[in-house]
């Protein structure tokens, strides 16, 4: 029996979690800045900036307002800190003197200013700003809350004229005529200069050491509305001339100049396996544009694709150059964990840190690293790593973890029906007693090209706290097991991926005698919602199911999702008019008549990735047949409800899920 001196986790505990992100070394390496995000009393989140000394380990809070402060970046001399904050009502750039004093607002752009970075000499700041075609970056004025409300009211009375294919985004809603442009702020004369102007989004990547070139990624093609490519470009700051480094056939980003400015490193790929293509690591010669791929012999995903529901901030994935320009450092995703890796310019790979957990970010200074690490029983802390030791620097959730019992997962490896090896984990319930039996819930991740692993996952821990055995696996289609594995579910949704999941259930039932064989539940979101629908349409072995932000009908998904017009072909092999019969075969709605499992449907009303009509079709069909089904709609919530939605909505969602399983699996 497990130790019950600590209490069980509750849905409401979500408001107690501190989430750390974005560690950034100070230029002299004596300290680092980071962001701490937590739910506040206004049903939103507050993000504050902290700076921690590496000498006395003192972490000082530098912002205190009830706002979202993020993206801290030190000036090269360490005397200033630029950051992004919505304290004035719109995300703007603010400047702090590191020796003390109040923050000063630098920008007052109508639609905000984002993601600042200092030039290498500290004379200017480069940032991104959403601008309309005729906007003047030198004459921007932030609206008051009344002005913003008046403009929104006026827009709500006007029709929206749409003439492009890509006209909506789950993150941004219906798109208007604004595009992300790159702006340079001159610190000396207090002036702004717009550097880009094409009617497309420009993603700032880096500035050359001499300050003469801006590196950015964008699709500048005339047919960009029909393409998902993103090229790397060099912009001459003086002449505004643009040189394109890549060939227009791929998607490139995370790009950075070497310390001497002669080379550029980046992640990228050319869609060899569509959305299931592993990233490669490229190095370009900045002058000639010639490139080499360092990762030809590697077979794992570069970057962090660990899936979770707690991370509330961006962090560094790499590639980051060593000081001498001879090595690159980056995160990599492998076998349910993420680690820190090093590669030389010949492609020799070295694993610097992988302790079977989740490295979610890092910062580097003279061979010393700050690592952000999460484990299944820790939402995340920062650690200092040198060649000789790993030293914990923060204790973000000490009081919470002191009082709440979390479950440590048991790793599983089993054989699918075609002899493929499948990886997964099992969480035992709170107060586990090996002499008792417990119901089991199978969790299916989204993506499908994501990865469950050794990170903190609130929903999984909550189900264990409520008395359930929780099974979560990486069926084929998941990242972390090589290119062949991640590609294996495409054009086979509901095939071997479904078989992998059923093999997982069979395996744990045969090897763990504390599970009720007739009290099984299943749930998942997005692709996991699709798979939940598919499972209960093809077997009646589950006694209860919860489908979240699901797909039920690929025929309609093609035209209503913000990604449907390309994702459908990527994943199923055909677009709507190419083979509607095939799309219908892949649609769980076709098999609704077979569904006898009590089903709870959970969906956000502003979800544009898997629009709520997918759940509406399923609910009406099942209800019309008088099946046991319930529909919970969350207003003002998009596809990210479970991860970054309003705290009260997230808590309500969790309580509905556990309620449904309690009603049907406790009998």
């Amino acid at each position: 029996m497990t130790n019950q001196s600590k209490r069980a986790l509750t849905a409401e505990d979500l408001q107690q979690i501190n989430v750390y992100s974005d560690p950034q070394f100070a230029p002299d390496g004596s300290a680092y800045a980071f962001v701490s995000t937590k739910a506040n009393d206004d049903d939103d989140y507050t993000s504050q900036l902290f700076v921690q000394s590496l000498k006395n380990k003192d972490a000082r809070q530098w912002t205190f307002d009830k706002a979202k402060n993020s993206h801290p970046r030190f000036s090269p001399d360490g005397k200033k800190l630029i950051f992004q904050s919505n304290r004035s009502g719109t995300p703007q750039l603010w400047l702090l003197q590191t020796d003390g004093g109040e923050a000063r607002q630098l920008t007052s752009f109508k639609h905000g200013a984002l993601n600042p970075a200092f030039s290498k000499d500290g004379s200017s700041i480069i940032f991104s700003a959403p601008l309309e075609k005729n906007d003047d970056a030198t004459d921007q004025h932030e609206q008051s809350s009344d002005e913003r409300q008046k403009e929104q009211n006026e827009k709500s009375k006007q029709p929206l004229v749409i003439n492009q294919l890509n006209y909506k985004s789950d993150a941004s809603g219906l798109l208007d005529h604004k595009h992300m442009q790159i702006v340079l702020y001159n610190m000396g004369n207090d002036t702004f200069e717009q550097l880009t102007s094409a009617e497309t989004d420009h993603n700032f990547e880096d500035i050359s050491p001499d300050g003469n070139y801006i590196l950015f990624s964008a699709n500048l093609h005339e047919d960009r509305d029909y393409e998902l490519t993103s090229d790397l470009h060099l912009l001459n700051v003086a002449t505004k001339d643009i040189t394109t480094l890549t060939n227009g056939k791929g998607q490139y980003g995370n790009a950075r100049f070497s310390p001497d400015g002669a080379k550029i490193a980046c992640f990228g790929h050319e869609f060899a396996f569509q959305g299931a293509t592993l990233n490669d690591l490229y190095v370009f010669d900045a002058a000639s544009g010639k490139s080499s791929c360092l990762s030809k012999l590697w077979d794992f995903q570069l970057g962090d694709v660990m899936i979770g529901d707690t991370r509330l901030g961006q962090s560094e994935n790499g590639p980051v150059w060593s000081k001498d320009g001879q090595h690159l450092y980056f995160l990599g995703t492998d076998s349910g964990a993420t680690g820190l890796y090093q590669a030389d310019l010949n492609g020799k790979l070295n694993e610097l840190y992988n302790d079977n957990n989740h490295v979610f970010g890092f910062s580097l200074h003279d061979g010393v690293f700050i690592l952000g690490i999460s484990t299944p029983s820790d939402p995340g802390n920062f650690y200092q790593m040198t060649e000789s030791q790993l030293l914990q620097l923060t204790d973000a959730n000490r009081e919470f973890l002191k009082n709440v019992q979390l479950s440590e997962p048991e790793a599983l490896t089993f054989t699918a029906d075609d002899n493929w090896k499948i990886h997964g984990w099992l969480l035992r319930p709170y107060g586990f007693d090996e002499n008792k039996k417990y119901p089991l819930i199978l969790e299916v991740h989204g993506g499908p090209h994501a990865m469950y692993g050794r990170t903190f996952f609130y929903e999984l821990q909550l189900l264990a706290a409520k008395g359930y055995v929780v099974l979560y696996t990486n069926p084929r289609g998941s990242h972390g097991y090589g290119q062949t594995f991640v590609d294996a579910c495409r054009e086979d949704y509901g095939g071997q991926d479904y078989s992998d999941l059923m093999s997982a259930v069979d395996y744990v039932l045969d090897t763990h005698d504390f599970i009720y064989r007739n009290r099984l539940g299943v749930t998942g979101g997005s692709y996991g919602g699709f798979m939940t629908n598919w499972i209960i349409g093809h077997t009646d072995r589950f006694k209860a199911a919860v489908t979240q932000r699901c797909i039920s009908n690929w025929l309609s998904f093609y035209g209503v999702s913000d990604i449907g017009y390309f994702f459908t072909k990527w994943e199923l092999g055909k677009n709507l008019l190419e083979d509607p019969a095939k799309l219908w075969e892949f649609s769980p709605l076709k098999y609704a008549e077979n569904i006898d499992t009590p089903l709870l449907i959970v969906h956000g009303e502003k979800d544009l990735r898997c629009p709520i009509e997918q759940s509406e079709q399923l609910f009406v069909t099942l209800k019309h047949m008088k099946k046991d089904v319930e529909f919970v709609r969350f207003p003002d919530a998009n596809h990210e409800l479970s991860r970054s939605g309003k705290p009260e909505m997230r808590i309500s969602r969790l309580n509905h899920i556990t309620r449904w399983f309690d009603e049907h699996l406790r009998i």
Side-chain angles (χ1 to χ4, degrees), residues 18 73 95 118 134 162 469 495 504 572 576 581 640:
N18 288 296
R73 298 295 184 268
L95 190 69
F118 278 98
N134 297 318
I162 297 168
V469 176
L572 304 185
L576 175 64
E640 295 300 306

Side-chain angles (χ1 to χ4, degrees), residues 373-512:
I373 299 175
S374 173
T375 72
S377 56
D378 183 357
N381 275 298
F382 291 121
Y383 296 75
Q384 180 180 347
M385 188 181 82
T386 61
E387 289 185 1
S388 60
Q389 66 174 353
L390 184 73
L391 175 67
Q392 184 171 341
L393 298 173
T394 62
D395 200 355
N397 294 286
R398 179 175 59 248
E399 290 302 312
F400 168 75
L401 296 175
K402 185 171 70 175
N403 296 312
V404 174
Q405 182 69 46
L406 298 175
S407 181
E408 286 291 337
E410 170 194 345
L412 309 171
T413 301
F414 58 92
T415 303
D417 58 12
D418 60 354
N419 293 319
W420 282 39
K421 294 294 184 183
I422 308 298
H423 191 199
W425 296 266
L426 198 74
L427 290 179
R428 285 169 169 75
Y430 175 74
F432 174 71
D433 185 339
E434 62 186 11
N435 296 313
K436 294 182 178 180
K437 285 186 178 291
Y438 300 90
L440 176 140
I441 295 174
L442 170 66
E443 283 266 6
V444 187
H445 69 61
H449 311 301
M451 183 188 75
Y452 275 140
R454 296 270 309 176
T455 192
F456 182 76
F457 205 122
Y458 204 96
E459 181 178 325
L460 306 183
Q461 288 287 349
L462 180 64
L463 289 170
K466 293 294 184 179
Y468 297 102
V469 176
V470 183
L471 171 63
Y472 52 112
T473 72
N474 286 325
R476 67 196 69 192
S478 305
H479 269 303
Y481 308 92
Q483 182 63 80
T484 299
F485 193 92
V486 73
D487 187 53
C489 75
R490 289 200 308 130
E491 300 189 40
D492 190 39
Y493 274 36
Q496 282 299 143
D497 50 357
Y498 164 70
S499 181
D500 290 347
L501 293 165
M502 295 305 97
S503 295
V505 174
D506 292 337
Y507 174 79
V508 297
L509 290 178
D510 290 342
T511 55
H512 298 73

Side-chain angles (χ1 to χ4, degrees), residues 142-411:
E142 186 175 8
Q143 293 176 309
S144 67
S145 58
D146 288 342
E147 288 172 330
R148 282 194 296 271
Q149 187 61 53
K150 182 180 179 181
E151 183 174 86
Q152 290 172 6
N153 291 340
E154 290 297 321
K155 282 186 176 181
S156 68
K157 301 173 185 177
Q158 302 297 323
L160 179 64
V161 179
I162 297 168
N163 52 29
Q164 63 184 43
L165 179 62
N166 179 23
Y167 72 92
K168 61 183 177 180
S169 158
D170 184 66
S172 306
L174 296 177
L175 303 180
D176 50 26
H177 300 293
K178 296 189 295 293
H179 292 99
M180 201 65 72
Q181 305 293 352
I182 299 172
V183 180
L184 185 146
Y185 171 69
N186 188 301
M187 299 278 286
N189 56 27
D190 192 27
T191 59
F192 295 94
E193 180 183 8
Q194 184 176 334
L195 300 180
T196 61
S197 58
E199 293 183 60
T200 189
D201 288 331
H202 303 73
N203 302 301
F204 171 74
E205 302 283 348
D206 200 4
I207 184 169
S208 61
D210 60 12
N212 292 333
Y213 292 91
I214 296 291
L215 178 63
F216 70 94
S217 55
N219 185 341
L220 299 180
H221 299 169
E222 289 186 4
D223 281 345
R224 54 181 167 264
D225 196 28
Y226 299 89
E227 301 173 339
L228 295 171
T229 56
S230 180
D231 286 303
L232 288 183
H233 309 273
L234 282 175
L235 180 145
N236 186 306
V237 174
T239 67
K240 305 302 182 293
D241 290 338
I242 293 174
T243 302
T244 300
L245 294 174
T246 48
N247 61 11
K249 298 179 180 179
Q251 197 169 71
Y252 300 89
N254 295 69
R256 291 182 173 91
F257 283 100
S258 59
D260 63 3
K263 297 181 178 64
I264 294 167
C266 73
F267 291 157
H269 64 75
E270 294 189 356
F271 298 104
F273 301 91
Q274 306 294 0
T277 310
L278 297 183
N279 281 330
D280 276 313
L281 176 60
Y282 292 92
V283 172
F284 288 82
D285 182 274
S288 69
K290 292 182 179 180
S291 68
S292 61
C293 178
L294 303 187
S295 54
K296 290 179 181 178
L297 301 180
W298 310 347
D299 193 24
F300 70 104
Q301 177 68 336
L302 308 185
D304 172 16
V305 294
M306 182 85 74
I307 198 165
D309 61 355
T310 309
R311 296 270 97 226
L312 289 168
Q314 298 296 316
S315 292
E316 177 66 66
N317 278 286
V320 171
W321 290 90
S322 62
K323 190 174 182 179
D324 63 5
Q326 298 303 303
H327 293 89
L328 290 160
Y329 302 93
F330 50 90
L331 300 186
T333 297
D334 189 28
S335 302
T338 62
L340 178 68
Y341 296 82
Q342 176 200 69
D344 67 17
L345 299 186
N346 294 315
K348 182 181 178 181
L349 184 66
N350 182 26
E351 185 178 81
L352 296 183
Y353 175 85
N354 190 333
D355 194 26
N356 196 27
N357 49 35
H358 179 199
V359 181
F360 59 80
F362 72 97
S363 187
L364 168 65
H365 182 271
D366 284 349
V368 178
F369 294 89
I370 302 296
L371 299 184
I373 299 175
S374 173
T375 72
S377 56
D378 183 357
N381 275 298
F382 291 121
Y383 296 75
Q384 180 180 347
M385 188 181 82
T386 61
E387 289 185 1
S388 60
Q389 66 174 353
L390 184 73
L391 175 67
Q392 184 171 341
L393 298 173
T394 62
D395 200 355
N397 294 286
R398 179 175 59 248
E399 290 302 312
F400 168 75
L401 296 175
K402 185 171 70 175
N403 296 312
V404 174
Q405 182 69 46
L406 298 175
S407 181
E408 286 291 337
E410 170 194 345

Side-chain angles (χ1 to χ4, degrees), residues 541-600:
R541 71 187 302 184
F542 292 89
K543 198 171 183 179
V546 180
T547 185
Q548 307 174 47
R549 58 191 184 280
C550 72
I551 295 172
S552 69
N553 184 355
W554 288 102
L555 293 167
S556 62
F557 178 85
Y558 166 81
V560 298
S561 168
D562 65 342
I563 63 171
Y565 60 92
F566 66 85
F567 188 83
T568 306
K569 179 72 173 276
W570 277 10
E571 295 298 312
L572 304 185
K574 298 291 182 180
N575 277 333
L576 175 64
L577 296 182
E578 292 176 328
D579 196 343
K582 182 176 183 179
L583 298 193
W584 185 238
E585 288 292 324
F586 280 121
S587 298
L589 193 63
K590 177 183 178 181
Y591 311 98
E593 193 172 13
N594 301 333
I595 295 176
D596 292 317
T597 303
L599 177 65
L600 175 67

Side-chain angles (χ1 to χ4, degrees), residues 613-630:
E613 61 87 29
Q614 292 286 307
S615 285
E616 290 172 333
Q617 292 184 67
L618 184 60
F619 173 75
V620 169
T621 301
L622 294 176
K623 199 66 178 177
H624 193 210
M625 292 188 289
K626 298 184 178 179
K627 305 277 189 174
D628 188 355
V629 60
E630 184 176 306

